[in-house]
Amino acid sequence: MQGLNPITMPLKGVSLIEASAGTGKTYTITALYLRHLLGLQVAGQTGVPLTVEQILVVTFTEAATAEIKDRVRKRIILARDALMGGDCDDAVVQAIL
């Protein structure tokens, strides 16, 4: 079995991320979401960015939905701030940008 790398994973078609609690699913989902927003479907290549309306993330509880929304929002803000020259200590944002 190969580990999932959210920075280099090609983003074509449909993907299912299934894992136990505390394994980094939300971390991975937020990285993939940011890559789609920036048009980075294939690592190192710029493609067509997707809009928020074009990205579907499904989870099973309202609490998990709220957590994903919050963490996606925070990672987008970190990326925006980094693009504007601010400091960023988020490894995913640094790797993507």
Side-chain angles (χ1 to χ4, degrees):
M1 184 182 313
Q2 179 179 325
L4 178 81
N5 183 337
I7 305 303
T8 59
M9 173 186 166
L11 303 179
K12 295 256 180 193
V14 176
S15 298
L16 171 67
I17 299 172
E18 182 179 15
S20 301
T23 57
K25 289 182 301 296
T26 302
Y27 178 89
T28 299
I29 289 167
T30 60
L32 299 174
Y33 196 101
L34 182 60
R35 284 184 54 207
H36 274 301
L37 284 177
L38 295 172
L40 303 174
Q41 286 83 7
V42 177
Q45 298 178 11
T46 304
V48 177
L50 298 180
T51 66
V52 171
E53 293 81 14
Q54 293 174 301
I55 302 171
L56 174 65
V57 177
V58 178
T59 189
F60 296 101
T61 67
E62 289 182 21
T65 299
E67 180 182 359
I68 289 174
K69 281 182 177 180
D70 182 57
R71 294 202 23 211
V72 164
R73 187 177 299 113
K74 286 179 180 175
R75 188 158 268 162
I76 291 169
I77 291 168
L78 286 172
R80 179 204 63 196
D81 292 348
L83 286 168
M84 295 177 70
D87 292 331
C88 179
D89 60 356
D90 184 288
V92 168
V93 173
Q94 289 176 348
I96 290 173
L97 302 180

